[in-house]
């Protein structure tokens, strides 16, 4: 409540897009939350200084008896930026002449920014075989519209068609992780070991796609054998046997290991079965507001950080560093199984790593455990903090089985029936289930709650109408991946998984059901569109209302509302139960939303510095009509004139080529005639 002679306001996070329309900068919308802990310094005309700190809802107030005042907003630990274009909430320094309740400050996170209400997204698809034969030119990386719905018409549906394909099977091979560098407009895509699918070049390659206009495949760079700049331990992503030359160290039978060129030929791919989730890459992500690309090395259980400011194509990036996880303090240990990293995310200046205990030592599903570890990406040597650990079977549906300890030997054949009894698969063509958890993706909403995608490893160990992982196998089978999507609520004391405490106490929050109401349809990848109140999740049979088989054997995207976890939209990219595509066996990879970077702005105020101290005092007036030039080196790239109390700004609307460039040193110059006149009038200014 405003009292006499008081200034107050709210500091809040701007979401330029709320999912349907562009928000108004500087106006707090219903989907925009207050920011706690921002420092507000108020200096009055007499030089008296007071400091306030914003409350949990972002509000602040201060009694003032001597106007005008200067109000400054500052923060240190959170990577926020003031709203661009200096409108509405204005800048971090504001001059207030009378008592006011609306001294607000809108901040935004460059990582959460979207320039459109309907951003496109990319997602990779898999095709059986080594990628050199009749499937080499088939599409492997699709560009889709945010509102795409229904079944892709290429498979007999009446839904939306993909906007385009950005790469072919021959170019990409098996990949999973996607990371988008907004400033360079490049998508980085990491290789994946997936049974029945070949690499285009090898397990240690990261591919590059340009997204500046038409999405175009550029090439790939190799990290195998690179010596990190912070270590003498050579980077190793592992090896899988897929040729006759290496068969001698195994069964001695080349056909057990070789992948066919024909996308329609079943294969055994024996060596890959046990190595799924243990070599090549897991997730990758760009560290916000930097040129740093991070990747999870599954073979060495390590995090790789590389500088991609040089825009690498077909060559190693600069400053590649690797951090072996077990050498960093705070990394968990286990006597019941091996630990496997995969998920990677960044939020509010922190990094987050998802790790899974596979329970292989104990063989007991009760020992399965998923961890979310927090770290400082600029000082990872300071260690990990476990912010959440949970049993992936907690409150999980038992339909088609729980999660089980990882299995590397097909001869064990521990399939599960609907009653969760272990049975042996003996009928060719049957649907096999043996869900094995991998915490594979992490997303944060505007409240700080986490959404956790759990991949079913078995979906990458198997295929559709493909051969068993047994030497000289002739039996065919298909599998159905049974991943999961969970919510972890942020509380005053930490995180709690849905179904516990006050976090969706009745059970799982996200209603991840596929066709015919089948529960647990996640494939392990997700994306959050902050401000839209929606979560994207890659799913099998994504139409939950489908009955009678019309949309069965399909894979695509489910969009969930974050108010109650119900689905808002669905899109099926393909429907196919043949050996070529992967039916319900994790046939799609990671999903990445694409949008332009947050706009940059350079601006300040020209004022009459009457006391010559270089500080904008509350009672010192701004000067209008001064011409300000912006130079990039010796090149003039923008001109503006001060107005509205001496304010001036450069942004994409008034600079050369309509674009301010990041990581660029600009020079500000005042027109000499204006400077001379002001200098003569105010010799101490």
């Amino acid at each position: 409540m405003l009292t006499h002679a008081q200034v107050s306001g709210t500091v809040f996070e701007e979401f330029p897009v709320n999912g349907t329309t562009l928000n108004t900068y500087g106006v707090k919308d219903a989907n925009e939350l207050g920011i706690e802990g921002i420092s507000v310094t108020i200096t009055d005309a007499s030089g008296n200084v007071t400091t306030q700190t914003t409350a949990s809802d972002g509000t602040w107030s201060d009694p003032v008896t001597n106007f005008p005042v200067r109000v400054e907003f500052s923060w240190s630990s959170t990577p926020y930026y003031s709203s661009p274009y200096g409108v509405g909430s204005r800048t971090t320094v504001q001059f207030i002449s009378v008592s006011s309740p609306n001294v607000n400050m809108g901040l935004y996170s460059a990582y959460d920014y979207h320039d459109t209400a309907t951003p496109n997204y990319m997602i990779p698809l898999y095709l059986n075989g080594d990628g050199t034969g009749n499937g080499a030119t088939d599409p492997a990386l699709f560009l889709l519209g945010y509102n795409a719905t229904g079944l892709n018409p290429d498979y007999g549906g009446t839904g939306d068609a993909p906007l385009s394909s950005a790469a072919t099977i021959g170019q990409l091979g098996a990949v999973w992780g996607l990371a988008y560098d907004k400033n360079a407009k490049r998508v980085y895509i990491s290789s994946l070991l997936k049974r029945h699918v070949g690499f285009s070049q090898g397990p240690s390659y990261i591919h590059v796609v340009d997204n500046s206009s038409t999405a175009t495949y550029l090439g790939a760079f190799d990290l195998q054998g690179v010596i990190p700049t912070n270590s003498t331990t050579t980077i190793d992503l592992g090896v899988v046997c897929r040729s006759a030359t290496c068969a001698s160290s195994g069964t001695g039978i080349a056909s057990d290991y070789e992948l066919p060129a024909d996308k329609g030929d079943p294969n055994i791919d024996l060596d890959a079965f046990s190595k799924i989730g243990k070599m090549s890459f897991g997730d990758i992500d760009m560290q916000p507001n930097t040129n740093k690309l991070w990747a999870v090395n599954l073979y060495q259980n390590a995090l790789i950080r590389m500088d991609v400011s040089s825009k690498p194509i077909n060559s190693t990036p600069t400053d590649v560093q690797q951090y072996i996880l077990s050498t960093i303090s705070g990394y968990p240990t286990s006597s019941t199984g091996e630990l496997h990293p995969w998920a990677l995310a960044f939020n509010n200046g922190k990094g987050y790593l998802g790790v899974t205990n596979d329970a292989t030592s104990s063989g007991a599903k009760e020992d399965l455990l998923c961890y979310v570890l927090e770290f400082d990406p600029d000082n990872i040597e300071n260690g990990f903090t476990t912010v959440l650990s949970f049993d992936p079977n907690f409150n999980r549906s038992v339909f088609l089985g729980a999660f089980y300890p990882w299995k590397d030997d097909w001869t064990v054949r521990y399939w599960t029936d609907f009653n969760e009894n272990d049975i042996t698969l003996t009928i060719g063509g049957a649907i096999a289930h043996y869900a094995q958890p991998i915490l594979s993706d992490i997303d944060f909403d505007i409240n700080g709650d986490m959404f956790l995608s759990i991949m079913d490893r078995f979906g990458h160990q198997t295929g559709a109408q493909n051969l068993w992982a047994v030497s000289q196998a002739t039996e065919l089978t298909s599998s159905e991946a049974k991943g999961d999507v969970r919510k972890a609520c942020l509380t005053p004391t930490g995180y709690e998984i849905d179904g516990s405490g006050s976090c969706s106490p009745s059970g799982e929050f996200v209603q991840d059901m596929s066709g015919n109401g089948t529960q647990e349809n996640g494939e392990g990848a997700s994306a959050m569109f902050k401000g839209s109140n929606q979560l994207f999740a890659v799913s099998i049979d994504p139409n939950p209302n489908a009955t009678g088989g019309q949309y069965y054997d399909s894979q695509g995207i489910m969009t969930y509302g974050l108010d109650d976890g119900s689905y808002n939209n669905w899109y099926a990219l393909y429907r196919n139960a043949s050996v070529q595509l992967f039916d319900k066996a994790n046939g799609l990879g990671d999903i990445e939303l694409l949008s332009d970077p947050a706009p940059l702005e350079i601006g300040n105020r020209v004022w009459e510095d009457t006391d010559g101290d270089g500080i904008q005092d509350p009672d010192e007036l701004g000067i209008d009509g001064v011409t300000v030039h912006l130079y990039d080196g010796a090149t003039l790239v923008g001109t503006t004139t001060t107005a509205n109390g001496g304010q001036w700004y450069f942004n994409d609307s008034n600079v050369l080529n309509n674009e301010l460039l990041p990581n660029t040193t600009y020079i500000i110059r005042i027109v000499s005639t204006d400077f001379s006149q002001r200098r003569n009038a105010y010799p101490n200014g």
Side-chain angles (χ1 to χ4, degrees):
M1 179 178 179
L2 182 66
T3 60
H4 177 67
Q6 181 177 349
V7 287
S8 62
T10 302
V11 180
F12 59 96
E13 182 171 1
E14 294 263 26
F15 288 104
V17 173
N18 67 13
T20 56
T21 60
L22 290 174
N23 285 359
T24 302
Y25 282 113
V27 177
K28 186 179 183 301
D29 295 289
N31 66 318
E32 296 175 334
L33 302 180
I35 301 175
E36 182 179 8
I38 301 298
S39 179
V40 186
T41 302
I42 302 95
T43 305
D44 70 14
S46 300
N48 299 313
V49 178
T50 58
T51 300
Q52 305 294 337
T53 302
T54 57
S56 59
D57 61 354
T59 59
W60 68 275
S61 64
D62 189 86
V64 175
T65 58
N66 190 6
F67 285 93
V69 296
R70 183 183 69 238
V71 179
E72 297 178 75
F73 300 89
S74 61
W75 57 95
S76 57
S77 59
T78 6
Y80 288 117
Y81 300 86
S82 59
S83 298
Y85 307 140
V87 297
S89 63
R90 295 173 290 180
T91 66
T92 55
V93 179
Q94 302 180 25
F95 294 87
I96 310 300
S97 58
V98 295
S99 180
S100 174
N102 296 311
V103 185
N104 300 326
M105 181 76 248
L107 305 178
Y108 75 92
S109 165
Y111 188 66
D112 297 334
Y113 178 90
H114 290 279
D115 65 313
T116 171
T118 55
N120 294 332
Y121 62 92
M122 280 187 178
I123 187 170
L125 171 146
Y126 308 118
L127 196 67
N128 181 69
D130 67 5
T132 64
N134 56 355
T137 59
D138 286 7
L141 182 68
F142 286 99
L143 183 68
L144 292 156
Y146 176 83
N147 291 322
T149 190
L151 173 63
N152 181 355
D154 291 342
Y155 292 88
T158 58
D160 300 307
L163 300 176
S164 65
S165 171
T168 65
I169 292 293
Q171 291 169 330
L172 283 190
V175 295
W176 193 85
L178 273 69
Y180 188 43
D181 184 341
K182 290 184 176 184
N183 291 322
K185 296 184 179 179
R186 289 192 169 190
V187 183
Y188 294 98
I189 311 158
S190 57
S191 296
L192 167 78
L193 177 63
K194 182 175 179 67
R195 187 164 165 253
H196 305 304
V197 183
F199 299 109
S200 66
Q201 299 184 63
S204 51
Y205 281 79
I206 293 179
H207 302 265
V208 186
V209 166
D210 178 79
N211 191 52
S212 57
S213 55
T214 302
T216 306
Y217 181 79
L218 299 178
F221 57 84
D222 187 12
L223 293 179
Q224 185 72 11
V226 171
I227 299 176
T229 58
N230 66 326
S231 170
T232 58
T233 302
T234 302
I235 293 177
D236 188 357
L237 277 300
V239 176
V240 61
C241 174
R242 282 175 163 165
S243 71
T245 57
C246 61
S248 59
S249 62
T251 64
I253 301 169
S255 60
D256 286 347
Y257 302 92
E258 295 173 329
L259 289 176
D262 191 316
K263 63 184 179 182
D265 287 350
N267 57 88
I268 299 173
D269 198 10
L270 187 60
D271 193 45
F273 186 84
S274 65
K275 295 180 178 178
I276 299 298
K278 299 181 179 181
M279 61 167 285
S280 191
F281 294 102
D283 202 3
I284 64 173
D285 206 353
M286 289 294 302
Q287 182 181 340
N289 313 319
T290 74
N291 295 310
K292 304 298 189 296
L293 173 66
W294 291 72
V296 179
N297 178 345
L298 302 180
Y299 187 67
Q300 290 178 305
N301 282 351
L303 276 171
I304 301 173
R305 192 194 78 178
M306 62 208 91
D307 186 337
V308 292
S309 57
S310 61
K311 298 182 180 179
I313 306 172
N314 306 320
S315 61
T316 305
T318 59
D319 189 22
V320 178
Q321 299 187 12
Q322 177 163 263
Y323 305 93
I324 303 299
L325 300 177
S326 61
T327 66
I328 300 175
S329 63
Y331 192 70
T333 60
S334 174
S335 61
T336 59
E338 296 181 5
L339 300 179
H340 303 279
W342 188 294
L344 182 63
F346 295 94
N347 187 62
N348 286 340
K350 297 293 185 181
Y352 295 86
L353 179 68
V355 178
T356 304
N357 179 358
D358 66 12
T360 51
S361 298
S362 67
K365 66 183 181 182
E366 292 75 18
D367 290 327
L368 292 168
L369 199 59
C370 295
Y371 301 88
V372 178
L373 310 180
E374 182 183 87
F375 63 95
D376 180 350
D378 296 321
N379 299 282
I380 191 172
E381 299 90 346
N382 290 347
F384 292 109
T385 299
T386 299
V387 296
L388 176 69
S389 62
F390 67 97
D391 176 0
N393 280 317
F394 178 71
N395 269 331
R396 176 174 164 83
S397 165
V398 297
F399 184 65
L400 296 178
F403 281 123
Y404 284 84
W406 287 25
K407 290 292 184 183
D408 295 339
D409 186 352
W410 182 280
T411 59
V412 175
R413 296 204 294 273
Y414 272 39
W415 317 127
T416 60
D417 64 14
F418 292 171
N419 296 318
E420 294 196 76
N421 297 316
D422 293 333
I423 61 174
T424 300
L425 182 65
T426 57
I427 302 173
I431 301 294
H433 306 92
Y434 184 70
Q436 305 161 64
I438 299 176
L439 179 53
S440 52
D441 217 346
I442 303 171
D443 292 286
F444 291 84
D445 69 8
I446 63 174
N447 301 304
D449 297 334
M450 287 191 291
F451 288 81
L452 309 167
S453 290
I454 304 175
M455 177 191 297
D456 179 358
R457 179 185 184 232
F458 192 60
H460 289 302
Q461 290 180 307
T462 51
Q465 289 301 293
N466 225 317
L467 295 171
W468 291 10
V470 177
S471 179
Q472 305 180 71
T474 58
E475 300 93 338
L476 298 173
T477 192
S478 297
S479 75
E480 184 174 4
K482 303 301 296 182
D484 213 342
V485 184
R486 305 298 298 269
K487 179 181 181 179
C489 299
L490 178 62
T491 73
T493 58
Y495 286 94
E496 55 187 21
I497 198 69
D498 50 7
S500 64
S502 60
C503 186
S504 186
S506 60
E508 288 191 32
F509 176 79
V510 177
Q511 300 170 36
D512 49 336
M513 289 192 281
S514 59
N516 210 25
T518 303
Q519 294 169 307
E520 318 297 17
N521 70 336
E523 292 191 38
S526 53
M528 179 72 69
F529 184 9
K530 284 189 176 179
S532 72
N533 206 36
Q534 291 184 326
L535 175 75
F536 281 55
V538 182
S539 308
I540 61 172
D541 289 351
N543 181 1
N545 295 325
T547 57
Q550 183 182 4
Y551 294 100
Y552 291 174
D553 308 317
S554 65
Q555 298 197 34
I557 308 297
M558 291 280 285
T559 306
Y560 299 101
L562 301 185
D563 290 330
D564 58 6
S566 63
Y567 87 95
N568 294 162
N569 187 31
W570 66 273
Y571 177 76
L573 187 58
Y574 74 83
R575 178 176 183 250
N576 190 286
S578 73
V579 69
Q580 299 179 20
L581 295 169
F582 278 77
D583 190 4
K584 302 178 183 181
N586 290 348
L588 300 172
D590 196 7
I591 179 173
E592 186 77 6
L593 294 172
L594 309 175
S595 67
D596 286 343
L600 299 176
E601 185 176 70
I602 299 173
N604 207 293
R605 179 174 177 261
V606 176
W607 83 102
E608 181 184 339
D609 190 11
T610 56
D611 59 6
D613 64 355
I615 298 174
Q616 298 181 39
D617 296 318
D619 56 350
E620 293 178 336
L621 302 179
I623 304 172
D624 292 343
V626 177
T627 302
V628 182
H629 290 318
L630 180 71
Y631 283 85
D632 181 359
T635 303
L636 177 66
V637 295
T639 299
T640 190
T641 303
T642 61
N644 300 319
Q647 295 185 74
W648 60 269
Y649 302 99
F650 289 106
N651 49 56
D652 291 350
S653 68
N654 63 351
V655 296
L656 187 67
N657 299 322
N658 296 321
E659 184 179 23
L660 276 178
L661 301 176
N663 304 312
T664 301
T665 300
Y666 287 101
I667 300 171
I668 303 296
R669 292 177 179 168
I670 302 296
V671 173
S672 59
T673 55
D674 286 340
F675 178 81
S676 298
Q677 292 172 357
R678 300 302 176 187
R679 182 75 173 177
N680 291 332
Y682 308 105
N684 294 321

